[in-house]
Amino acid sequence: MTRTISIIPQPGKLEVGSGAFALTAETRIFASDASVPMGYYLARLLRPVIGFQLPGERTSTSPDTANAITLRLTPGSGKKRPAPESYALSVTDAGITIEAPRPAGLFYGVQTLRQFLPPAIESQTSPSGVAWTIPHVSIEDAPRYSWRGMHLDVSRHFFSVSFVKRYIDLLAMYKFNRFHWHLTDDQGWRIEIKSHPRLTEIGAWRTERDGTISGGFYTQDEIREVVDYAREHFITVVPEIEMPGHAQAALAAYPELACTSGPGEIAVWNRWGISKEVFCAGKEATFDLLEDVLAEVVALFPGPYVHVGGDECPKDRWSACDDCQARIQAEGLADENALQSYFIKRISRFLSKRNRQLIGWDEILEGGLAERAIVMSWRGTEGGIQAARAGHDVIMTPTSHCYFDYKHADRPDEPGQWGVIPLKKVYDYEPTPAELTPAEAQHVLGSQGNVWSESMPTTRDVEQMVFPRLCALAEVVWSPRGQRDWEDFKARLRAHGERLQALDVEYYRDQEIWPA
Ligand code: ACM
Ligand code: ZN
């Protein structure tokens, strides 16, 4: 039993003893009250060991901890409040204990425990001859950042509910807690809206340049299923409904909301790029539709955030549109940038009244930021720095480090687009810009990997662009800054290859980690 310990992300404090605890079919899971769902979750993970019958006993009285895994909520007391997602994990001859102030911490303790077990634990079969042993350890762990996100673009290519759930599983294993679901764009509208059915009847389907039809969308029942599933994995789903740009699919369904084009002139786009067809900011009907849409979105997504895009909105149509120009006049706006700011601020007020905080790409800074808006800094870090200095919360997701649609390596035959982001570059990323004062740095909620799917027609493509860079980012957003160690990470990641294989994840075989 000399398997090296390879936990990703690396825990804050990890002490290893000399013995080991052996899990057997007789091992029990003890959980009580609010930790019971976690007990069942753990029992499902441990099926290859403890069998496929109902999980171990549960009790609210003090269990005999010999040969048991005990999950215990310890809310803490007094002045020193524990970090909300923290946990402590202890493995001794007497058994395994996970303690946490909140269920989220228990969940992360379970994810750590899972990675102590051989990769066969992931296979959900009952392999024979596996030693289910866990070294004696003592761990105290908590995340560095509260926003540990992964994004997925389901507009450029549509991915099934079952894949989205698998994606959530994989995020959860590496302790991510935000799933940014990019649901609308020029190339497809993917969320059923009951008040405006044409958004999916028309907007979810595109005629490719070879004449084939592609697309799909999620029904509201499916959206709820994903949101519930994510909640069970301590992941908040952040829906993104793009406006005022990246709206061509919506405008194919409702062309009267474009500036100057007539019916039949706009189709769901079958090219990549930035469409000039954007929502008209002059017509009240635009806001009527978007408010109807957002009312349904708010009802479906209980999380505190709604992302409204705001990026890459060409102003060509607005400059030529009587309605947009009349709005600029009536509102005393300086120019089209100010009109975009008016647009986002108006939507932000609508969301605020419904208790939701608006998130936008860093273009929402142009022409003035809406009150309380959160900025996602993607065109480098400047937008994030500017917003943090203005007292706004920010999420750092620059194209230089966080775009997992970029190639893994600088070779012409590598899949991917736009640029190259090798694994080490992700690993070395520091989300908090050095320019910020400690007070300003408090506004950096964390970081996120973005996965634009133009070059990813299949789920296998998604997996192989995302992995193993996701593992590197997990450590960036979770582990203490001073503890990051590239050589050590490489060794741990090497071991994770087997775990990813057991999970049937199609990861990029980085030569530096897994030499051929
Ligand atoms: C973006 O990549 N257009 C946010
Ligand atoms: Zn217009």
Side-chain angles (χ1 to χ4, degrees), residues 246 311-312 361 378 403 452:
H246 287 286
D311 59 319
E312 299 177 324
W361 301 108
W378 74 280
Y403 270 49
W452 304 99

Side-chain angles (χ1 to χ4, degrees), residues 22-214:
L23 275 165
T24 67
E26 280 68 50
T27 302
R28 289 280 168 270
I29 297 168
F30 287 105
S32 59
D33 305 324
S35 66
V36 167
M38 208 58 55
Y40 281 102
Y41 175 82
L42 175 59
R44 278 197 303 278
L45 279 180
L46 295 180
R47 270 180 196 161
V49 190
I50 63 175
F52 290 80
Q53 72 275 37
L54 261 185
E57 303 169 30
R58 51 197 169 103
T59 176
S60 56
T61 59
S62 180
D64 167 13
T65 52
N67 199 11
I69 304 171
T70 304
L71 304 178
R72 194 180 295 133
L73 280 169
T74 51
S77 57
K79 283 197 286 290
K80 195 168 172 299
R81 250 198 285 142
E85 298 177 294
S86 64
Y87 70 93
L89 167 66
S90 147
V91 181
T92 68
D93 280 332
I96 298 175
T97 306
I98 302 174
E99 290 184 331
R102 297 199 192 160
L106 290 181
F107 184 76
Y108 296 133
V110 166
Q111 299 307 328
T112 299
L113 179 63
R114 168 185 189 177
Q115 293 189 15
F116 274 111
L117 288 161
I121 196 71
E122 311 296 349
S123 66
Q124 292 296 309
T125 58
S126 292
S128 56
V130 179
W132 303 108
T133 52
I134 302 179
H136 288 171
V137 290
S138 170
I139 290 178
E140 284 173 29
D141 200 11
R144 181 172 173 207
Y145 290 105
S146 65
W147 189 288
R148 303 182 302 279
M150 281 296 297
H151 153 285
L152 183 65
D153 168 12
V154 296
S155 173
R156 275 51 177 268
H157 285 100
F158 178 71
F159 303 112
S160 67
V161 167
S162 69
F163 177 73
V164 171
K165 286 178 161 179
R166 171 177 167 81
Y167 195 72
I168 286 168
D169 280 337
L170 294 168
L171 266 54
M173 184 164 93
Y174 292 104
K175 303 188 175 82
F176 285 87
N177 66 352
R178 303 282 184 264
F179 169 48
H180 173 170
W181 206 0
H182 185 80
L183 287 162
T184 74
D185 214 303
D186 294 318
Q187 293 85 0
W189 182 282
R190 307 296 180 209
I191 172 172
E192 178 191 25
I193 299 296
K194 305 263 192 201
S195 57
H196 298 277
R198 286 172 62 86
L199 284 169
T200 47
E201 286 167 6
I202 305 290
W205 307 100
R206 78 177 173 249
T207 306
E208 304 288 6
R209 277 174 279 166
D210 67 2
T212 57
I213 309 265
S214 74

Side-chain angles (χ1 to χ4, degrees), residues 216-227:
F217 66 93
Y218 308 104
T219 66
Q220 295 205 347
D221 281 343
E222 287 172 329
I223 298 268
R224 276 186 284 268
E225 186 183 331
V226 167
V227 167

